[in-house]
């Protein structure tokens, strides 16, 4: 399936890459429109998506030093992006000895809408299903999971445990039940099909700052979903031809090649009252 970059997702990716000013100053609306236009997003779509993000409490309206209308990240949005950074830019190889975190939940029937929210949130955090009401993930996801459940006021329904898998099924076989590995592999292959040729092109013939900005933001927007769909399991639990390591290498290389070059293109838009 071809990649889809929605305006709202691209705006979140933009703020993650270039919109977190240390002084928390807002990004001018006019700059957002110009910068998202490079990616093929028209002005009405930018304004509509910004309004939705504002309603969700992720963007806060404000004024730049020049008095231009703009939007800054809320505290919750900054925490979400900071949590995401730990996954998106992770370089360490996970070890089986680190163990697992279990989320065991029970939601009263009268609040079954929260049961759906819990399941969807755990899935988005990268948890697999070990049994009904029992979800599992690598132990390193504990802090992020705890923060997310508290932020959504779901912690009263959940108990979290740390531990090892002791059998009876071999852990590699159990992992293949807990997660849909072919579906996750397909996401990695899709990322590689879209962005590995971009990396080859940059290594062969580097282009300008605008191209770096565009190619990096598209790669980031594609990649930032993957560390959540894929919990990044230890290599010994995965098939020999697992594409996840290669896709991580491609994203890391694009990040190192393009992120700062793209910032050169973005910086003037954030430092002036863009017409």
């Amino acid at each position: 399936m071809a990649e889809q970059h929605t305006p709202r997702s691209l705006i979140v990716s933009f703020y993650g890459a270039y919109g977190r000013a240390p002084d928390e100053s807002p990004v001018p609306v006019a700059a957002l429109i110009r910068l998202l236009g490079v990616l093929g997003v028209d002005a009405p779509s930018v304004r509509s998506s910004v309004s939705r993000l504002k309603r969700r409490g992720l963007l806060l309206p404000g004024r730049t030093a020049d008095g231009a209308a703009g939007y800054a990240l809320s505290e919750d949005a900054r925490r979400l992006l900071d949590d995401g950074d730990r996954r998106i830019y992770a370089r360490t190889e996970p070890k089986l000895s680190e163990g697992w975190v279990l989320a065991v939940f029970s939601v009263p029937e009268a609040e079954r809408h929260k049961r759906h929210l819990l399941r969807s949130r755990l899935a988005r955090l990268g948890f697999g299903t070990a049994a009904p009401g029992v979800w599992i993930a690598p132990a390193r996801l504990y802090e992020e999971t705890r923060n997310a459940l508290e932020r959504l006021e779901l912690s009263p329904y959940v108990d979290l445990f740390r531990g090892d898998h002791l059998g009876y099924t071999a852990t590699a076989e159990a992992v293949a039940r807990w997660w849909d590995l072919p579906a996750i592999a397909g996401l990695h292959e899709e990322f590689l099909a879209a962005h590995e040729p971009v990396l080859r092109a940059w290594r062969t013939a580097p282009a300008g700052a605008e191209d770096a900005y565009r190619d990096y933001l598209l790669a980031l927007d594609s990649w930032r979903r993957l560390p959540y769909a894929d919990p990044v399991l230890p290599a010994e639990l995965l098939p020999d031809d697992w594409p996840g390591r290669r896709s991580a290498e491609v994203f890391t290389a694009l990040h190192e090649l393009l992120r700062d070059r793209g910032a050169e293109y973005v910086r003037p838009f954030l430092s002036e009252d863009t017409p």
Side-chain angles (χ1 to χ4, degrees), residues 197-242:
V198 175
L199 176 60
R200 285 197 295 267
W202 274 94
R203 285 174 167 169
T204 302
E210 180 178 344
D211 292 318
Y213 159 74
R214 183 191 62 246
D215 288 346
Y216 178 65
L217 205 66
L218 290 173
L220 176 63
D221 194 55
S222 298
W223 175 257
R224 68 183 180 85
R225 301 172 179 86
L226 265 170
Y228 291 92
D230 181 355
V232 189
L233 301 167
E236 59 264 45
L237 302 180
L238 296 167
D240 292 338
D241 59 350
W242 186 250

mmCIF file of all heavy atoms in Angstrom, residues 197-242:
data_model
loop_
_atom_site.group_PDB
_atom_site.id
_atom_site.type_symbol
_atom_site.label_atom_id
_atom_site.label_comp_id
_atom_site.label_asym_id
_atom_site.label_seq_id
_atom_site.Cartn_x
_atom_site.Cartn_y
_atom_site.Cartn_z
ATOM 1 N N PRO A 197 15.560 4.508 -1.983
ATOM 2 C CA PRO A 197 16.020 5.202 -3.205
ATOM 3 C C PRO A 197 16.373 6.671 -2.950
ATOM 4 O O PRO A 197 17.282 7.214 -3.598
ATOM 5 C CB PRO A 197 14.816 5.084 -4.150
ATOM 6 C CG PRO A 197 14.049 3.892 -3.657
ATOM 7 C CD PRO A 197 14.228 3.906 -2.166
ATOM 8 N N VAL A 198 15.679 7.316 -2.018
ATOM 9 C CA VAL A 198 15.997 8.706 -1.674
ATOM 10 C C VAL A 198 17.403 8.786 -1.080
ATOM 11 O O VAL A 198 18.193 9.672 -1.426
ATOM 12 C CB VAL A 198 14.950 9.266 -0.694
ATOM 13 C CG1 VAL A 198 15.334 10.679 -0.240
ATOM 14 C CG2 VAL A 198 13.560 9.270 -1.328
ATOM 15 N N LEU A 199 17.716 7.866 -0.193
ATOM 16 C CA LEU A 199 19.052 7.844 0.409
ATOM 17 C C LEU A 199 20.122 7.620 -0.660
ATOM 18 O O LEU A 199 21.155 8.313 -0.665
ATOM 19 C CB LEU A 199 19.126 6.751 1.474
ATOM 20 C CG LEU A 199 20.497 6.548 2.134
ATOM 21 C CD1 LEU A 199 20.964 7.819 2.831
ATOM 22 C CD2 LEU A 199 20.437 5.379 3.130
ATOM 23 N N ARG A 200 19.880 6.687 -1.573
ATOM 24 C CA ARG A 200 20.855 6.450 -2.646
ATOM 25 C C ARG A 200 21.057 7.705 -3.484
ATOM 26 O O ARG A 200 22.186 8.046 -3.857
ATOM 27 C CB ARG A 200 20.392 5.288 -3.524
ATOM 28 C CG ARG A 200 20.562 3.918 -2.881
ATOM 29 C CD ARG A 200 20.484 2.813 -3.925
ATOM 30 N NE ARG A 200 19.158 2.750 -4.546
ATOM 31 C CZ ARG A 200 18.171 1.968 -4.126
ATOM 32 N NH1 ARG A 200 18.348 1.191 -3.057
ATOM 33 N NH2 ARG A 200 17.016 1.959 -4.755
ATOM 34 N N ALA A 201 19.959 8.405 -3.775
ATOM 35 C CA ALA A 201 20.062 9.618 -4.594
ATOM 36 C C ALA A 201 20.888 10.693 -3.885
ATOM 37 O O ALA A 201 21.710 11.372 -4.518
ATOM 38 C CB ALA A 201 18.666 10.143 -4.919
ATOM 39 N N TRP A 202 20.683 10.860 -2.579
ATOM 40 C CA TRP A 202 21.445 11.876 -1.844
ATOM 41 C C TRP A 202 22.917 11.513 -1.760
ATOM 42 O O TRP A 202 23.781 12.401 -1.777
ATOM 43 C CB TRP A 202 20.850 12.072 -0.449
ATOM 44 C CG TRP A 202 19.729 13.061 -0.457
ATOM 45 C CD1 TRP A 202 18.394 12.796 -0.585
ATOM 46 C CD2 TRP A 202 19.845 14.478 -0.379
ATOM 47 N NE1 TRP A 202 17.681 13.962 -0.587
ATOM 48 C CE2 TRP A 202 18.536 15.016 -0.454
ATOM 49 C CE3 TRP A 202 20.920 15.355 -0.237
ATOM 50 C CZ2 TRP A 202 18.281 16.375 -0.408
ATOM 51 C CZ3 TRP A 202 20.672 16.718 -0.179
ATOM 52 C CH2 TRP A 202 19.367 17.219 -0.268
ATOM 53 N N ARG A 203 23.194 10.238 -1.646
ATOM 54 C CA ARG A 203 24.603 9.832 -1.589
ATOM 55 C C ARG A 203 25.281 9.999 -2.941
ATOM 56 O O ARG A 203 26.489 10.240 -3.016
ATOM 57 C CB ARG A 203 24.701 8.387 -1.114
ATOM 58 C CG ARG A 203 24.452 8.244 0.390
ATOM 59 C CD ARG A 203 24.415 6.796 0.821
ATOM 60 N NE ARG A 203 24.477 6.681 2.282
ATOM 61 C CZ ARG A 203 24.249 5.545 2.940
ATOM 62 N NH1 ARG A 203 23.934 4.432 2.274
ATOM 63 N NH2 ARG A 203 24.336 5.514 4.255
ATOM 64 N N THR A 204 24.494 9.898 -4.009
ATOM 65 C CA THR A 204 25.052 10.021 -5.361
ATOM 66 C C THR A 204 25.166 11.480 -5.783
ATOM 67 O O THR A 204 26.197 11.906 -6.332
ATOM 68 C CB THR A 204 24.165 9.267 -6.373
ATOM 69 O OG1 THR A 204 24.065 7.897 -5.979
ATOM 70 C CG2 THR A 204 24.750 9.356 -7.772
ATOM 71 N N ALA A 205 24.096 12.257 -5.538
ATOM 72 C CA ALA A 205 24.061 13.651 -5.999
ATOM 73 C C ALA A 205 23.333 14.510 -4.980
ATOM 74 O O ALA A 205 22.115 14.713 -5.086
ATOM 75 C CB ALA A 205 23.372 13.735 -7.367
ATOM 76 N N PRO A 206 24.020 15.017 -3.963
ATOM 77 C CA PRO A 206 23.377 15.861 -2.945
ATOM 78 C C PRO A 206 22.702 17.081 -3.576
ATOM 79 O O PRO A 206 23.216 17.649 -4.537
ATOM 80 C CB PRO A 206 24.550 16.282 -2.047
ATOM 81 C CG PRO A 206 25.590 15.229 -2.268
ATOM 82 C CD PRO A 206 25.448 14.809 -3.702
ATOM 83 N N ALA A 207 21.542 17.471 -3.025
ATOM 84 C CA ALA A 207 20.774 18.600 -3.547
ATOM 85 C C ALA A 207 20.779 19.742 -2.532
ATOM 86 O O ALA A 207 21.601 19.778 -1.615
ATOM 87 C CB ALA A 207 19.357 18.146 -3.887
ATOM 88 N N GLY A 208 19.810 20.666 -2.672
ATOM 89 C CA GLY A 208 19.801 21.860 -1.846
ATOM 90 C C GLY A 208 19.034 21.704 -0.555
ATOM 91 O O GLY A 208 18.468 20.653 -0.247
ATOM 92 N N ALA A 209 18.971 22.812 0.211
ATOM 93 C CA ALA A 209 18.361 22.786 1.538
ATOM 94 C C ALA A 209 16.860 22.531 1.473
ATOM 95 O O ALA A 209 16.309 21.826 2.327
ATOM 96 C CB ALA A 209 18.641 24.097 2.266
ATOM 97 N N GLU A 210 16.175 23.081 0.476
ATOM 98 C CA GLU A 210 14.734 22.846 0.365
ATOM 99 C C GLU A 210 14.449 21.371 0.111
ATOM 100 O O GLU A 210 13.537 20.786 0.703
ATOM 101 C CB GLU A 210 14.127 23.696 -0.752
ATOM 102 C CG GLU A 210 12.624 23.483 -0.898
ATOM 103 C CD GLU A 210 12.007 24.355 -1.977
ATOM 104 O OE1 GLU A 210 12.653 25.333 -2.402
ATOM 105 O OE2 GLU A 210 10.867 24.064 -2.388
ATOM 106 N N ASP A 211 15.233 20.749 -0.760
ATOM 107 C CA ASP A 211 15.061 19.318 -1.022
ATOM 108 C C ASP A 211 15.362 18.502 0.231
ATOM 109 O O ASP A 211 14.692 17.500 0.508
ATOM 110 C CB ASP A 211 15.983 18.878 -2.157
ATOM 111 C CG ASP A 211 15.572 19.467 -3.491
ATOM 112 O OD1 ASP A 211 14.360 19.506 -3.773
ATOM 113 O OD2 ASP A 211 16.463 19.898 -4.243
ATOM 114 N N ALA A 212 16.389 18.922 0.986
ATOM 115 C CA ALA A 212 16.723 18.207 2.221
ATOM 116 C C ALA A 212 15.571 18.284 3.207
ATOM 117 O O ALA A 212 15.202 17.284 3.841
ATOM 118 C CB ALA A 212 17.993 18.792 2.836
ATOM 119 N N TYR A 213 14.999 19.478 3.345
ATOM 120 C CA TYR A 213 13.853 19.652 4.236
ATOM 121 C C TYR A 213 12.699 18.756 3.815
ATOM 122 O O TYR A 213 12.113 18.042 4.639
ATOM 123 C CB TYR A 213 13.434 21.123 4.234
ATOM 124 C CG TYR A 213 12.010 21.348 4.688
ATOM 125 C CD1 TYR A 213 11.654 21.228 6.029
ATOM 126 C CD2 TYR A 213 11.005 21.654 3.769
ATOM 127 C CE1 TYR A 213 10.339 21.410 6.442
ATOM 128 C CE2 TYR A 213 9.699 21.849 4.172
ATOM 129 C CZ TYR A 213 9.372 21.718 5.513
ATOM 130 O OH TYR A 213 8.073 21.892 5.921
ATOM 131 N N ARG A 214 12.349 18.791 2.544
ATOM 132 C CA ARG A 214 11.206 18.006 2.064
ATOM 133 C C ARG A 214 11.458 16.503 2.250
ATOM 134 O O ARG A 214 10.615 15.788 2.800
ATOM 135 C CB ARG A 214 10.964 18.293 0.586
ATOM 136 C CG ARG A 214 9.734 17.553 0.022
ATOM 137 C CD ARG A 214 9.649 17.630 -1.484
ATOM 138 N NE ARG A 214 10.806 16.998 -2.113
ATOM 139 C CZ ARG A 214 11.725 17.651 -2.821
ATOM 140 N NH1 ARG A 214 11.615 18.951 -3.023
ATOM 141 N NH2 ARG A 214 12.752 16.997 -3.335
ATOM 142 N N ASP A 215 12.610 16.022 1.824
ATOM 143 C CA ASP A 215 12.875 14.584 1.901
ATOM 144 C C ASP A 215 12.992 14.107 3.345
ATOM 145 O O ASP A 215 12.560 13.000 3.683
ATOM 146 C CB ASP A 215 14.160 14.241 1.134
ATOM 147 C CG ASP A 215 13.980 14.344 -0.378
ATOM 148 O OD1 ASP A 215 12.819 14.424 -0.836
ATOM 149 O OD2 ASP A 215 14.999 14.345 -1.097
ATOM 150 N N TYR A 216 13.561 14.952 4.208
ATOM 151 C CA TYR A 216 13.681 14.544 5.609
ATOM 152 C C TYR A 216 12.325 14.490 6.289
ATOM 153 O O TYR A 216 12.011 13.536 7.010
ATOM 154 C CB TYR A 216 14.611 15.476 6.385
ATOM 155 C CG TYR A 216 14.696 15.087 7.842
ATOM 156 C CD1 TYR A 216 15.255 13.866 8.209
ATOM 157 C CD2 TYR A 216 14.186 15.905 8.847
ATOM 158 C CE1 TYR A 216 15.316 13.473 9.538
ATOM 159 C CE2 TYR A 216 14.247 15.518 10.177
ATOM 160 C CZ TYR A 216 14.815 14.306 10.512
ATOM 161 O OH TYR A 216 14.861 13.914 11.833
ATOM 162 N N LEU A 217 11.499 15.508 6.063
ATOM 163 C CA LEU A 217 10.212 15.524 6.758
ATOM 164 C C LEU A 217 9.323 14.370 6.288
ATOM 165 O O LEU A 217 8.608 13.766 7.090
ATOM 166 C CB LEU A 217 9.505 16.862 6.554
ATOM 167 C CG LEU A 217 8.523 17.199 7.679
ATOM 168 C CD1 LEU A 217 9.251 17.419 9.001
ATOM 169 C CD2 LEU A 217 7.695 18.429 7.346
ATOM 170 N N LEU A 218 9.366 14.040 5.008
ATOM 171 C CA LEU A 218 8.594 12.897 4.515
ATOM 172 C C LEU A 218 9.112 11.593 5.126
ATOM 173 O O LEU A 218 8.327 10.722 5.515
ATOM 174 C CB LEU A 218 8.653 12.834 2.990
ATOM 175 C CG LEU A 218 7.900 13.944 2.252
ATOM 176 C CD1 LEU A 218 8.172 13.857 0.751
ATOM 177 C CD2 LEU A 218 6.395 13.868 2.528
ATOM 178 N N ALA A 219 10.435 11.457 5.226
ATOM 179 C CA ALA A 219 11.002 10.249 5.832
ATOM 180 C C ALA A 219 10.630 10.160 7.313
ATOM 181 O O ALA A 219 10.244 9.098 7.807
ATOM 182 C CB ALA A 219 12.521 10.232 5.663
ATOM 183 N N LEU A 220 10.733 11.285 8.027
ATOM 184 C CA LEU A 220 10.377 11.295 9.445
ATOM 185 C C LEU A 220 8.905 10.969 9.637
ATOM 186 O O LEU A 220 8.540 10.203 10.535
ATOM 187 C CB LEU A 220 10.697 12.658 10.048
ATOM 188 C CG LEU A 220 10.287 12.872 11.510
ATOM 189 C CD1 LEU A 220 11.026 11.905 12.427
ATOM 190 C CD2 LEU A 220 10.550 14.320 11.931
ATOM 191 N N ASP A 221 8.046 11.540 8.797
ATOM 192 C CA ASP A 221 6.607 11.298 8.919
ATOM 193 C C ASP A 221 6.281 9.828 8.688
ATOM 194 O O ASP A 221 5.379 9.288 9.331
ATOM 195 C CB ASP A 221 5.851 12.174 7.916
ATOM 196 C CG ASP A 221 4.368 12.222 8.204
ATOM 197 O OD1 ASP A 221 3.995 12.584 9.343
ATOM 198 O OD2 ASP A 221 3.577 11.885 7.309
ATOM 199 N N SER A 222 7.007 9.189 7.795
ATOM 200 C CA SER A 222 6.819 7.748 7.582
ATOM 201 C C SER A 222 7.392 6.938 8.738
ATOM 202 O O SER A 222 6.756 6.014 9.240
ATOM 203 C CB SER A 222 7.501 7.311 6.282
ATOM 204 O OG SER A 222 6.955 7.954 5.168
ATOM 205 N N TRP A 223 8.595 7.310 9.157
ATOM 206 C CA TRP A 223 9.321 6.494 10.134
ATOM 207 C C TRP A 223 8.726 6.551 11.528
ATOM 208 O O TRP A 223 8.696 5.549 12.240
ATOM 209 C CB TRP A 223 10.791 6.916 10.189
ATOM 210 C CG TRP A 223 11.544 6.179 11.252
ATOM 211 C CD1 TRP A 223 11.918 6.641 12.480
ATOM 212 C CD2 TRP A 223 11.949 4.805 11.206
ATOM 213 N NE1 TRP A 223 12.552 5.653 13.198
ATOM 214 C CE2 TRP A 223 12.577 4.516 12.441
ATOM 215 C CE3 TRP A 223 11.847 3.809 10.250
ATOM 216 C CZ2 TRP A 223 13.111 3.266 12.726
ATOM 217 C CZ3 TRP A 223 12.374 2.555 10.533
ATOM 218 C CH2 TRP A 223 12.997 2.302 11.758
ATOM 219 N N ARG A 224 8.213 7.708 11.949
ATOM 220 C CA ARG A 224 7.841 7.857 13.357
ATOM 221 C C ARG A 224 6.685 6.937 13.752
ATOM 222 O O ARG A 224 6.474 6.705 14.942
ATOM 223 C CB ARG A 224 7.522 9.316 13.685
ATOM 224 C CG ARG A 224 6.287 9.901 13.057
ATOM 225 C CD ARG A 224 6.150 11.382 13.418
ATOM 226 N NE ARG A 224 4.970 11.990 12.843
ATOM 227 C CZ ARG A 224 3.759 11.941 13.406
ATOM 228 N NH1 ARG A 224 3.595 11.323 14.556
ATOM 229 N NH2 ARG A 224 2.734 12.508 12.819
ATOM 230 N N ARG A 225 5.957 6.392 12.799
ATOM 231 C CA ARG A 225 4.917 5.411 13.127
ATOM 232 C C ARG A 225 5.518 4.029 13.412
ATOM 233 O O ARG A 225 4.967 3.247 14.179
ATOM 234 C CB ARG A 225 3.930 5.277 11.968
ATOM 235 C CG ARG A 225 3.220 6.567 11.579
ATOM 236 C CD ARG A 225 2.418 6.347 10.287
ATOM 237 N NE ARG A 225 1.684 7.523 9.865
ATOM 238 C CZ ARG A 225 2.190 8.496 9.124
ATOM 239 N NH1 ARG A 225 3.455 8.434 8.752
ATOM 240 N NH2 ARG A 225 1.458 9.536 8.773
ATOM 241 N N LEU A 226 6.641 3.735 12.773
ATOM 242 C CA LEU A 226 7.174 2.371 12.818
ATOM 243 C C LEU A 226 7.659 1.925 14.192
ATOM 244 O O LEU A 226 7.404 0.793 14.593
ATOM 245 C CB LEU A 226 8.300 2.226 11.788
ATOM 246 C CG LEU A 226 7.851 1.665 10.437
ATOM 247 C CD1 LEU A 226 8.960 1.773 9.411
ATOM 248 C CD2 LEU A 226 7.435 0.214 10.588
ATOM 249 N N PRO A 227 8.366 2.774 14.959
ATOM 250 C CA PRO A 227 8.797 2.311 16.278
ATOM 251 C C PRO A 227 7.650 2.045 17.250
ATOM 252 O O PRO A 227 7.881 1.535 18.346
ATOM 253 C CB PRO A 227 9.687 3.461 16.778
ATOM 254 C CG PRO A 227 10.114 4.172 15.550
ATOM 255 C CD PRO A 227 8.947 4.074 14.628
ATOM 256 N N TYR A 228 6.420 2.419 16.859
ATOM 257 C CA TYR A 228 5.250 2.097 17.683
ATOM 258 C C TYR A 228 4.572 0.828 17.195
ATOM 259 O O TYR A 228 4.146 -0.008 17.991
ATOM 260 C CB TYR A 228 4.270 3.268 17.687
ATOM 261 C CG TYR A 228 4.815 4.455 18.446
ATOM 262 C CD1 TYR A 228 5.534 5.448 17.793
ATOM 263 C CD2 TYR A 228 4.653 4.559 19.825
ATOM 264 C CE1 TYR A 228 6.060 6.520 18.494
ATOM 265 C CE2 TYR A 228 5.174 5.632 20.533
ATOM 266 C CZ TYR A 228 5.873 6.604 19.859
ATOM 267 O OH TYR A 228 6.405 7.661 20.555
ATOM 268 N N ALA A 229 4.473 0.659 15.886
ATOM 269 C CA ALA A 229 3.927 -0.596 15.347
ATOM 270 C C ALA A 229 4.872 -1.747 15.645
ATOM 271 O O ALA A 229 4.436 -2.877 15.904
ATOM 272 C CB ALA A 229 3.704 -0.463 13.840
ATOM 273 N N ASP A 230 6.172 -1.472 15.610
ATOM 274 C CA ASP A 230 7.203 -2.472 15.861
ATOM 275 C C ASP A 230 7.845 -2.178 17.215
ATOM 276 O O ASP A 230 8.508 -1.150 17.378
ATOM 277 C CB ASP A 230 8.260 -2.405 14.760
ATOM 278 C CG ASP A 230 9.366 -3.426 14.939
ATOM 279 O OD1 ASP A 230 9.381 -4.134 15.969
ATOM 280 O OD2 ASP A 230 10.220 -3.524 14.042
ATOM 281 N N PRO A 231 7.686 -3.069 18.205
ATOM 282 C CA PRO A 231 8.283 -2.799 19.524
ATOM 283 C C PRO A 231 9.794 -2.959 19.557
ATOM 284 O O PRO A 231 10.411 -2.725 20.585
ATOM 285 C CB PRO A 231 7.601 -3.840 20.419
ATOM 286 C CG PRO A 231 7.291 -4.980 19.499
ATOM 287 C CD PRO A 231 6.938 -4.342 18.177
ATOM 288 N N VAL A 232 10.401 -3.363 18.436
ATOM 289 C CA VAL A 232 11.845 -3.590 18.310
ATOM 290 C C VAL A 232 12.268 -4.698 19.275
ATOM 291 O O VAL A 232 12.763 -4.447 20.382
ATOM 292 C CB VAL A 232 12.661 -2.298 18.530
ATOM 293 C CG1 VAL A 232 14.127 -2.531 18.163
ATOM 294 C CG2 VAL A 232 12.095 -1.151 17.705
ATOM 295 N N LEU A 233 12.048 -5.910 18.833
ATOM 296 C CA LEU A 233 12.334 -7.090 19.640
ATOM 297 C C LEU A 233 13.787 -7.528 19.464
ATOM 298 O O LEU A 233 14.431 -7.205 18.462
ATOM 299 C CB LEU A 233 11.392 -8.231 19.230
ATOM 300 C CG LEU A 233 9.899 -7.921 19.395
ATOM 301 C CD1 LEU A 233 9.061 -8.967 18.671
ATOM 302 C CD2 LEU A 233 9.523 -7.855 20.858
ATOM 303 N N PRO A 234 14.328 -8.272 20.432
ATOM 304 C CA PRO A 234 15.692 -8.792 20.288
ATOM 305 C C PRO A 234 15.842 -9.620 19.020
ATOM 306 O O PRO A 234 14.911 -10.338 18.607
ATOM 307 C CB PRO A 234 15.862 -9.662 21.545
ATOM 308 C CG PRO A 234 14.916 -9.062 22.537
ATOM 309 C CD PRO A 234 13.733 -8.605 21.740
ATOM 310 N N ALA A 235 17.005 -9.521 18.389
ATOM 311 C CA ALA A 235 17.229 -10.148 17.085
ATOM 312 C C ALA A 235 16.994 -11.653 17.116
ATOM 313 O O ALA A 235 16.511 -12.237 16.135
ATOM 314 C CB ALA A 235 18.649 -9.853 16.611
ATOM 315 N N GLU A 236 17.307 -12.305 18.242
ATOM 316 C CA GLU A 236 17.173 -13.764 18.291
ATOM 317 C C GLU A 236 15.719 -14.232 18.288
ATOM 318 O O GLU A 236 15.447 -15.425 18.115
ATOM 319 C CB GLU A 236 17.902 -14.343 19.521
ATOM 320 C CG GLU A 236 17.429 -13.817 20.859
ATOM 321 C CD GLU A 236 18.278 -12.684 21.375
ATOM 322 O OE1 GLU A 236 18.593 -11.775 20.580
ATOM 323 O OE2 GLU A 236 18.635 -12.702 22.575
ATOM 324 N N LEU A 237 14.784 -13.305 18.444
ATOM 325 C CA LEU A 237 13.366 -13.664 18.432
ATOM 326 C C LEU A 237 12.714 -13.399 17.078
ATOM 327 O O LEU A 237 11.519 -13.667 16.914
ATOM 328 C CB LEU A 237 12.613 -12.868 19.507
ATOM 329 C CG LEU A 237 13.106 -13.041 20.940
ATOM 330 C CD1 LEU A 237 12.264 -12.198 21.886
ATOM 331 C CD2 LEU A 237 13.069 -14.508 21.357
ATOM 332 N N LEU A 238 13.485 -12.901 16.119
ATOM 333 C CA LEU A 238 12.930 -12.487 14.836
ATOM 334 C C LEU A 238 13.450 -13.358 13.697
ATOM 335 O O LEU A 238 14.509 -13.988 13.809
ATOM 336 C CB LEU A 238 13.294 -11.019 14.568
ATOM 337 C CG LEU A 238 12.705 -10.014 15.542
ATOM 338 C CD1 LEU A 238 13.379 -8.656 15.375
ATOM 339 C CD2 LEU A 238 11.201 -9.902 15.353
ATOM 340 N N PRO A 239 12.720 -13.414 12.578
ATOM 341 C CA PRO A 239 13.205 -14.162 11.415
ATOM 342 C C PRO A 239 14.551 -13.636 10.931
ATOM 343 O O PRO A 239 14.881 -12.465 11.098
ATOM 344 C CB PRO A 239 12.101 -13.918 10.361
ATOM 345 C CG PRO A 239 10.889 -13.532 11.138
ATOM 346 C CD PRO A 239 11.393 -12.808 12.358
ATOM 347 N N ASP A 240 15.325 -14.521 10.291
ATOM 348 C CA ASP A 240 16.662 -14.141 9.831
ATOM 349 C C ASP A 240 16.622 -13.001 8.816
ATOM 350 O O ASP A 240 17.563 -12.207 8.748
ATOM 351 C CB ASP A 240 17.365 -15.350 9.204
ATOM 352 C CG ASP A 240 17.703 -16.417 10.245
ATOM 353 O OD1 ASP A 240 17.783 -16.069 11.444
ATOM 354 O OD2 ASP A 240 17.868 -17.593 9.860
ATOM 355 N N ASP A 241 15.555 -12.940 8.021
ATOM 356 C CA ASP A 241 15.474 -11.911 6.977
ATOM 357 C C ASP A 241 14.683 -10.692 7.431
ATOM 358 O O ASP A 241 14.127 -9.942 6.617
ATOM 359 C CB ASP A 241 14.844 -12.496 5.705
ATOM 360 C CG ASP A 241 13.435 -13.044 5.961
ATOM 361 O OD1 ASP A 241 13.030 -13.145 7.142
ATOM 362 O OD2 ASP A 241 12.744 -13.379 4.973
ATOM 363 N N TRP A 242 14.630 -10.447 8.729
ATOM 364 C CA TRP A 242 13.832 -9.334 9.268
ATOM 365 C C TRP A 242 14.314 -8.000 8.703
ATOM 366 O O TRP A 242 15.499 -7.666 8.792
ATOM 367 C CB TRP A 242 13.934 -9.325 10.786
ATOM 368 C CG TRP A 242 13.043 -8.305 11.439
ATOM 369 C CD1 TRP A 242 13.425 -7.157 12.074
ATOM 370 C CD2 TRP A 242 11.621 -8.342 11.496
ATOM 371 N NE1 TRP A 242 12.320 -6.486 12.523
ATOM 372 C CE2 TRP A 242 11.194 -7.181 12.190
ATOM 373 C CE3 TRP A 242 10.657 -9.243 11.028
ATOM 374 C CZ2 TRP A 242 9.854 -6.898 12.426
ATOM 375 C CZ3 TRP A 242 9.317 -8.967 11.265
ATOM 376 C CH2 TRP A 242 8.928 -7.810 11.965
#
